[in-house]
Amino acid sequence: MRSFSVLLVLFYLAPLMADGGARLDQMSWLEGCWDGDSDTRQFEECWSEPAGGLMIGYGRSIGASGQAGFEYLRLIERSGEVFYLAQPGGGEATEFRAARIGPGFARFINPDHDDPRVIEYRREGDRLTAMIGDGLTIDESSSVNEFPFVLRDD
């Protein structure tokens, strides 16, 4: 009976193991431009379609004073894994490895980075929530910044 259970598990896991893990095309739900605001700022994030193992994005926020901040973003597929690269202000890139990708959800982590250590995206219909935290998941984080977006009508 035990060998049957092992075979059954292998049968169901084989497609996942043969697949090599996360694929960038699993992130196609992020494509488009997203707009959001809070009491103190407006923000936007735009993402290209996945092609050639790359999605290119940018983020911009404008504070109440009118001063803008920006960030270059990339999602890349490398060696069967997906990585999120963030370059706040155009500086040096910080890399986060995909810990989980699914329909409308992605979690990227970098345990060695001070803050944030986790970046999560959650999409429901035309709404997207981006969250950054100091733990390895949003639930484990003591400090979380949340950015609610709506898909831009172009």
Side-chain angles (χ1 to χ4, degrees):
M1 181 67 170
R2 183 165 188 221
S3 62
F4 176 75
S5 298
V6 171
L7 287 174
L8 190 61
V9 168
L10 289 175
F11 174 78
Y12 284 106
L13 290 179
L16 298 175
M17 295 184 313
D19 201 19
R23 293 182 329 274
L24 189 60
D25 63 355
Q26 293 174 295
M27 292 296 302
S28 63
W29 53 265
L30 189 59
E31 178 185 341
C33 287
W34 302 86
D35 297 313
D37 59 50
S38 68
D39 292 339
T40 59
R41 62 188 338 98
Q42 294 178 307
F43 37 88
E44 68 179 338
E45 195 166 297
C46 292
W47 287 96
S48 71
E49 66 180 315
L54 176 68
M55 285 179 77
I56 299 171
Y58 73 85
R60 175 173 48 182
S61 64
I62 302 171
S65 67
Q67 186 170 358
F70 73 97
E71 182 170 32
Y72 296 132
L73 304 166
R74 286 176 285 161
L75 287 170
I76 62 170
E77 187 173 332
R78 182 176 64 222
S79 302
E81 293 190 88
V82 175
F83 295 88
Y84 181 103
L85 286 78
Q87 293 178 258
E92 187 176 330
T94 301
E95 193 170 282
F96 297 80
R97 181 185 54 80
R100 183 173 162 221
I101 295 177
F105 180 83
R107 176 183 299 132
F108 301 92
I109 60 170
N110 182 336
D112 299 324
H113 194 249
D114 55 351
D115 191 20
R117 295 173 67 200
V118 63
I119 301 170
E120 286 187 8
Y121 285 92
R122 298 176 186 183
R123 180 175 180 174
E124 292 183 25
D126 67 348
R127 304 222 175 255
L128 178 74
T129 303
M131 293 174 279
I132 60 173
D134 58 0
L136 292 182
T137 68
I138 291 301
D139 292 338
E140 294 175 2
S141 296
S142 61
S143 172
V144 175
N145 291 318
E146 189 170 315
F147 304 91
F149 294 97
V150 175
L151 185 60
R152 183 182 302 163
D153 293 327
D154 285 331

